[in-house]
Amino acid sequence: MKKICIFITIAVALLTAGCKSGIIKPNCSGAAFDLLWIINDDIYFSPAGDSLELCLNGAVPFLPQPEPQFNVIRMNHAMYDNLLQTTRNILFVNVDPNRYTCVRIKMAKDVWAKGQAICVINAPAVDSLKEAVVRYGDGIVNYFVKAERERMMDYYISNINREALSRTNEMFGYDIAIPTSINRFKKGKDFLWMANGNPEEGQYLMIYTEPYLSKQQLTCEAILDRRDSVAKANIPGGLKGSYMTTERHHLYPESRDIELNGQWAKETRGLWKMNGDCMGGPFVSITTIDTATNKIVTVEGFVYAPSKEKRRYLRQMDAMVYSIKKHNN
């Protein structure tokens, strides 16, 4: 088998020579999580097309019921025209042995519209395309997921809840882009709970701290233990004696190291449940170290939306928790 060379290019401005600087671009169009996939039928109905479809339509991690990563709209290159250029997320796939000698993956933002995310995969053959998808498919998905998160963060910053911002500043010294829909509060010891007050589409945030003593406090198990301790003390259920805890039996949560605002942080995802009551849903948290106060700071978003799809609500919580930033006085 021939050696496959793959090049990945990330740009923030122009993808094609036809885009001219100085032009005021429109805002990107389409609904959140819509993805326009431009690929010809002969490539789509191939092993490479199968692999890429599995990535794009794969289930969002840690939801109680399977929901796809995107709402994928697929079409051949011949059907694509200028009217679709402002679509928020576009994935182009080209296979041509006469034009390409290696697989090249290009990613760019704001090409034809503000807030737009585009990925182009050029390959000389189906085999090399499939190999690239196997190696980099998750990265392509994460690129579009991150783009959606950044759009939401920008929206929340422009529609920020000033009272929530003031509370997080005063208690913890952090800014969080919390939208005006989150307007209920409960304060505890080194703890703040916020909610939108909607019992059918509940979105909740909690922020809490603990003195930083050792790296052992930053393992997944320690983060979950701390979460359960804080939740038991501060988030009772509707039935007497019930309280929030973490679901560890059916689907154990996962943590991963990330970089946020140029510093180390840990993302944790999983499911929560109400011990002693029939409630539950997904959660996502970010844990970081405040070096100025030598404290571990955790911000978590969780969702309770019974009988509803939860992808949209959880990804909105993603945007909130990922917006955490040390307040600059």
Side-chain angles (χ1 to χ4, degrees), residues 38-41 75-82 84 94:
I38 310 300
I39 182 172
N40 286 338
D41 285 347
M75 64 178 58
N76 291 318
H77 284 267
M79 298 174 64
Y80 175 77
D81 58 29
N82 292 345
L84 299 170
N94 304 296

Side-chain angles (χ1 to χ4, degrees), residues 4-8 100-105 121-125 128-129 132:
I4 304 298
C5 51
I6 299 175
F7 298 89
I8 298 179
Y100 313 116
T101 57
C102 293
V103 177
R104 291 184 179 269
I105 302 174
I121 308 175
N122 296 327
S128 57
L129 173 62

Side-chain angles (χ1 to χ4, degrees), residues 73 152 306:
I73 303 138
M152 289 182 193

Side-chain angles (χ1 to χ4, degrees), residues 61-103:
F62 293 101
L63 288 180
Q65 299 86 25
E67 296 180 48
Q69 293 279 7
F70 306 103
N71 306 320
V72 178
I73 303 138
R74 184 186 69 85
M75 64 178 58
N76 291 318
H77 284 267
M79 298 174 64
Y80 175 77
D81 58 29
N82 292 345
L83 294 176
L84 299 170
Q85 280 189 342
T86 60
T87 304
R88 63 197 299 121
N89 302 306
I90 309 179
L91 172 61
F92 295 94
V93 179
N94 304 296
V95 176
D96 189 338
N98 298 317
R99 295 180 61 188
Y100 313 116
T101 57
C102 293
V103 177

Side-chain angles (χ1 to χ4, degrees), residues 85-231:
Q85 280 189 342
T86 60
T87 304
R88 63 197 299 121
N89 302 306
I90 309 179
L91 172 61
F92 295 94
V93 179
N94 304 296
V95 176
D96 189 338
N98 298 317
R99 295 180 61 188
Y100 313 116
T101 57
C102 293
V103 177
R104 291 184 179 269
I105 302 174
K106 302 177 183 179
M107 298 175 178
K109 297 285 187 68
D110 304 332
V111 177
W112 295 294
K114 291 183 289 185
Q116 185 177 54
I118 288 183
C119 178
V120 179
I121 308 175
N122 296 327
V126 169
D127 289 346
S128 57
L129 173 62
K130 181 178 180 181
E131 181 170 327
V133 170
V134 170
R135 292 175 63 183
Y136 299 108
D138 288 344
I140 292 169
V141 168
N142 291 336
Y143 168 71
F144 287 116
V145 170
K146 184 180 178 182
E148 288 287 4
R149 182 167 65 233
E150 290 172 348
R151 293 183 193 111
M152 289 182 193
M153 289 170 64
D154 289 343
Y155 176 79
Y156 292 156
I157 289 170
S158 64
N159 294 272
I160 203 163
N161 185 326
R162 295 292 173 183
E163 181 181 359
L165 182 64
S166 176
R167 286 174 180 260
T168 57
N169 286 169
E170 292 175 4
M171 289 188 66
F172 307 103
Y174 279 83
D175 294 335
I176 304 177
I178 301 170
T180 54
S181 59
I182 305 293
N183 53 21
R184 296 193 177 188
F185 308 94
K186 175 185 176 182
K187 182 179 178 181
K189 185 179 183 303
D190 301 318
F191 172 86
L192 179 63
W193 172 93
M194 295 173 276
N196 65 354
N198 186 335
E200 298 300 320
E201 301 173 358
Q203 292 179 298
Y204 308 85
L205 280 166
M206 59 179 178
I207 311 168
Y208 50 93
T209 64
E210 179 181 82
Y212 176 50
L213 303 175
S214 74
K215 291 183 178 180
Q216 292 302 314
Q217 294 170 278
L218 305 176
T219 64
C220 180
E221 191 72 22
I223 288 171
L224 297 179
D225 288 345
R226 185 162 55 251
R227 179 190 188 278
D228 286 348
S229 176
V230 169

Side-chain angles (χ1 to χ4, degrees), residues 37-63:
W37 183 16
I38 310 300
I39 182 172
N40 286 338
D41 285 347
D42 58 331
I43 308 305
Y44 175 72
F45 293 106
S46 73
D50 292 342
S51 296
L52 194 48
E53 185 169 45
L54 284 174
C55 290
L56 300 177
N57 289 318
V60 176
F62 293 101
L63 288 180

